[in-house]
Amino acid sequence: MRVVFAGTPEFARVALSGLAQAGFMIPLVLTQPDRPAGRGMKLQAPPVKQLAQELQIACAQPRSLRLDGKFPDDAAAARSALIDAAPDVIVVAAYGLILPDWVLTLPRLGCLNIHASLLPRWRGAAPIHRAIEAGDAQTGITIMQMDAGLDTGAMLLKAAETIRADDTTGTLHDRLAPLGGRLIVEALELAACGGLTPTPQPADGVTYAAKIDKREAAIDWRADAAAIERRLRAFDPAPGASGLLQGEAIKCWHGVAEPGQGRPGELLAVGENGIEVACGRGSLRLTELQRPGGKRLPAREFLQGRSLAAGMAFETLLD
């Protein structure tokens, strides 16, 4: 089976590695263009391109696949490369570009997507973040037959994964990525012998995982402490959740919800065990924080050299 792979970040790199290790022929990889990254803002190849180069697989990086869009030359070159690759199937994982109809219908088996949720819950761009933020007990991987809608295609395989009480997006991602790699290999092996049974997604239970907006990183201390605690975990490692304290945007990485009461944002207690902050309901004891330009530190180290005391307060970064 000839498999073209389309993906960009680490989640997709793990899946590509699994396909290569399983012995599938991969004549072409599609991934996003190199982007500036790091403090020096130097161009950096996405994880999928880095692996493709290691595996000596041809790699295309079109800015768009729309033949009538803003970058028609990119799309035309990608179309030529795809036709030459003659794929039986295209596997898509966190690619980041919309696939137009000409791509969806090009392979004889169509396009299969590795989606990091149990569809139809959390269709969209940020399913891992939103599942943690919402307090879901479980999530998982769905292998889906892609159609023209936003994650609306028929389901082919599913596997569930428990969301632990201390999971961050980072830790949950690191369990879901290899699960996705294993499940897509299973799906392609079944597809090779006609063993996949498409199941339409139910109309009930549909939710959308909107892309994370950086403005969401500002902590609203008027919210429930448990909800803020989930958001801290959902936004770890990116974009992080921040509050304004003594004129500095402090990233708050970890907290424990407690029953304290006070004015939202007020520091109720300051000590080695953390900084307790009043919320709209309950309080949040912050145990890991980061100053601008600094490192993530446990509260005890963060407080060294700082004169914080009960009665002070976080301001708001909200508009």
Side-chain angles (χ1 to χ4, degrees), residues 87-101:
D88 295 299
V89 64
I90 296 176
V91 171
V92 182
Y95 179 31
L97 290 184
I98 294 174
L99 302 191
D101 286 343

Side-chain angles (χ1 to χ4, degrees), residues 198-218:
T199 301
Q201 293 187 37
D204 294 335
V206 174
T207 58
Y208 289 93
K211 183 178 179 180
I212 304 298
D213 190 311
K214 288 183 178 180
R215 290 175 295 183
E216 294 182 76

Side-chain angles (χ1 to χ4, degrees), residues 12-298:
R13 187 203 66 78
V14 174
L16 175 59
S17 178
L19 291 171
Q21 290 176 20
F24 288 99
M25 183 180 296
I26 307 170
L28 178 68
V29 161
L30 298 178
T31 190
Q32 290 260 6
D34 297 359
R35 309 282 190 202
R39 292 190 175 182
M41 294 303 286
K42 295 181 180 179
L43 281 180
Q44 183 171 316
V48 163
K49 179 182 177 180
Q50 294 177 33
L51 179 59
Q53 291 174 331
E54 291 175 18
L55 298 173
Q56 297 184 321
I57 300 172
C59 186
Q61 296 177 273
R63 289 168 291 180
S64 170
L65 292 169
R66 294 187 177 278
L67 296 169
D68 59 350
K70 187 176 180 181
F71 304 104
D73 292 344
D74 283 30
R79 184 172 187 272
S80 178
L82 278 168
I83 291 173
D84 289 344
D88 295 299
V89 64
I90 296 176
V91 171
V92 182
Y95 179 31
L97 290 184
I98 294 174
L99 302 191
D101 286 343
W102 72 261
V103 178
L104 295 173
T105 57
L106 189 148
R108 66 179 180 87
L109 295 176
C111 299
L112 306 189
N113 179 240
I114 308 170
H115 188 76
S117 80
L118 298 175
L119 292 171
R121 186 162 178 79
W122 301 127
R123 296 173 179 172
I128 301 177
H129 300 76
R130 299 306 183 188
I132 292 175
E133 184 182 24
D136 290 359
Q138 69 171 6
T139 185
I141 294 290
T142 304
I143 305 298
M144 175 190 67
Q145 185 80 50
M146 296 181 71
D147 60 17
L150 176 62
D151 299 329
T152 55
M155 301 177 294
L156 302 172
L157 287 178
K158 272 187 175 183
E161 176 68 30
T162 298
I163 299 178
R164 301 168 185 167
D166 61 349
D167 262 329
T168 65
T169 287
T171 60
L172 186 54
H173 165 281
D174 289 349
R175 297 203 306 280
L176 290 176
L179 178 59
R182 292 194 298 271
L183 214 59
I184 191 61
V185 167
E186 181 182 344
L188 292 181
E189 289 173 344
L190 287 170
C193 58
L196 281 178
T197 303
T199 301
Q201 293 187 37
D204 294 335
V206 174
T207 58
Y208 289 93
K211 183 178 179 180
I212 304 298
D213 190 311
K214 288 183 178 180
R215 290 175 295 183
E216 294 182 76
I219 298 172
D220 184 354
W221 298 104
R222 297 169 297 182
D224 187 293
I228 298 174
E229 185 272 338
R230 291 195 302 269
R231 178 165 283 200
L232 264 57
R233 292 188 290 113
F235 287 11
D236 182 356
S242 300
L244 196 63
L245 182 63
Q246 291 186 316
E248 288 186 318
I250 303 298
K251 285 194 173 182
C252 304
W253 290 111
H254 186 267
V256 179
E258 297 190 340
Q261 296 182 357
R263 176 170 53 89
E266 179 185 359
L267 306 191
L268 301 178
V270 177
E272 290 189 354
N273 292 330
I275 302 171
E276 186 179 357
V277 186
C279 303
R281 180 178 180 181
S283 61
L284 192 67
R285 180 165 51 85
L286 300 173
T287 58
E288 187 178 13
L289 306 96
Q290 180 180 5
R291 297 181 66 180
K295 298 179 180 179
R296 295 170 61 151
L297 296 172

